[in-house]
Amino acid sequence: MGMSSKKILSMNLKYYREKYNLSQEKFAEKVGSNLVYINQLENCKRKPTTDMLDKIADGMNKNIDSKLKMTSSELLRYDPNHKTNFTRVDEKKK
């Protein structure tokens, strides 16, 4: 059995937040969402609407990295390289 789309989205969101060193709060701000919603997506507690996937992808392209060319379908695409050793940004040693 393959990985669920919620798990893939969770993995991809965490990967991009780690890559750009963003807290959930900062990431949510940049993609036009809120901390609770992003936290629920990352913890597979919520299923996003297609409109929200589009909004997240658009926000990533405009406010995080214009070279990304992210699409909503790419947020749901499994990439084995997107595994993270994720820790909370505010807990990282300075």
Side-chain angles (χ1 to χ4, degrees):
M1 186 172 161
M3 193 179 294
S4 73
S5 58
K6 285 197 307 188
K7 183 68 177 162
I8 293 169
L9 176 63
S10 168
M11 188 171 63
N12 286 335
L13 291 178
K14 289 175 186 177
Y15 170 80
Y16 285 108
R17 282 200 316 103
E18 183 177 80
K19 180 177 179 177
Y20 294 100
N21 197 33
L22 296 168
S23 66
Q24 284 181 336
E25 186 174 21
K26 284 292 181 194
F27 182 83
E29 182 182 302
K30 289 184 178 290
V31 300
S33 184
N34 65 64
L35 171 62
V36 172
Y37 191 80
I38 295 300
N39 180 275
Q40 290 172 338
L41 292 177
E42 285 193 8
N43 289 295
C44 300
K45 304 279 187 209
R46 190 163 194 168
K47 189 171 155 181
T49 64
T50 53
D51 287 343
M52 182 50 84
L53 287 174
D54 290 340
K55 185 176 182 178
I56 291 170
D58 190 48
M60 289 175 71
N61 293 331
K62 288 181 180 174
N63 302 317
I64 295 176
D65 186 348
S66 61
K67 295 176 189 145
L68 269 178
K69 307 295 185 227
M70 182 63 61
T71 64
S72 55
S73 62
E74 286 180 46
L75 287 171
L76 298 175
R77 185 173 297 131
Y78 176 73
D79 184 334
N81 297 317
H82 284 191
K83 293 190 175 157
T84 64
N85 210 3
F86 203 75
T87 56
R88 286 177 38 175
V89 172
D90 59 349
E91 291 179 350
K92 288 183 180 177
K93 298 204 189 305
K94 306 265 189 247

